[in-house]
């Protein structure tokens, strides 16, 4: 068993766990651009103490290189926990985040995420650099 085998992939329009990467398909070399990462973009994922998205991470794999680079990791830490009990808390972190990056070469953006009860998910998109 390889940890890579445990990452689930699916069509994000039909499966609420898939991290959706929203960014331009082509960017200019050396110019920062915005990348939105969101889970449950088409079908809402629950956000409760018992069932929620814990984190999303973003990686870049250059087209002509062996190694993959981590762009960022984002934790979603509040899910209604409180002294009074589950879902009695005043705050819930939404499972979406914007980050900015710049690239020098084309490759693939890869997002991974974790649902506390439904495991690991991933998605990727190719990005061109001009
Ligand atoms: Fe889930």
């Amino acid at each position: 068993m390889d940890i890579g085998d445990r990452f689930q992939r699916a069509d994000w329009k039909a499966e609420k766990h898939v991290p959706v990467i929203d960014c331009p398909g082509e960017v200019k070399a050396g110019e920062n651009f915005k990348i939105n990462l969101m889970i449950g973009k088409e079908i809402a994922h629950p956000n409760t103490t018992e069932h929620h998205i814990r984190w999303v991470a973003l990686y870049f794999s250059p087209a002509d290189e062996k190694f993959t680079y981590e762009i960022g990791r984002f934790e979603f830490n509040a899910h209604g926990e409180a002294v009074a009990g589950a879902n009695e808390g005043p705050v819930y972190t939404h499972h979406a985040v914007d980050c900015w990056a710049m690239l020098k070469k084309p490759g693939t953006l890869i997002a991974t995420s974790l649902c506390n009860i439904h495991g690991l998910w991933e998605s990727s998109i190719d990005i061109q650099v001009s």
Side-chain angles (χ1 to χ4, degrees), residues 2 9-10 22-23 26 31 41 51 55-56 66 72 78-80 85 87 96-99 110 113 125 130:
D2 185 301
R9 278 180 174 263
D22 191 3
C23 70
E26 181 167 355
E31 238 175 59
K41 186 165 187 171
H51 185 192
W55 51 258
V56 66
K66 176 181 176 182
H79 303 283
N87 299 304
V97 67
D98 283 341
C99 70
I110 304 160
S113 61
I125 59 165
S130 57

Side-chain angles (χ1 to χ4, degrees), residues 21-106:
I21 306 167
D22 191 3
C23 70
E26 181 167 355
V27 297
K28 286 200 163 59
E31 238 175 59
N32 282 309
F33 62 98
K34 186 168 77 174
I35 305 161
N36 175 264
L37 302 172
M38 184 181 292
I39 289 87
K41 186 165 187 171
E42 184 75 19
I43 305 167
H45 186 278
N47 189 0
T48 65
T49 304
E50 299 86 355
H51 185 192
H52 52 260
I53 304 299
R54 288 270 169 84
W55 51 258
V56 66
L58 182 65
Y59 304 91
F60 178 63
S61 193
D64 59 352
E65 289 186 24
K66 176 181 176 182
F67 298 115
T68 295
Y69 299 84
E70 184 176 68
I71 296 175
R73 328 182 38 86
F74 310 95
E75 295 187 9
F76 307 132
N77 288 340
H79 303 283
E81 304 89 339
V83 169
N87 299 304
E88 297 296 327
V91 59
Y92 295 76
T93 316
H94 187 52
H95 33 258
V97 67
D98 283 341
C99 70
W100 293 74
M102 68 94 142
L103 299 174
K104 290 181 174 177
K105 48 172 71 174

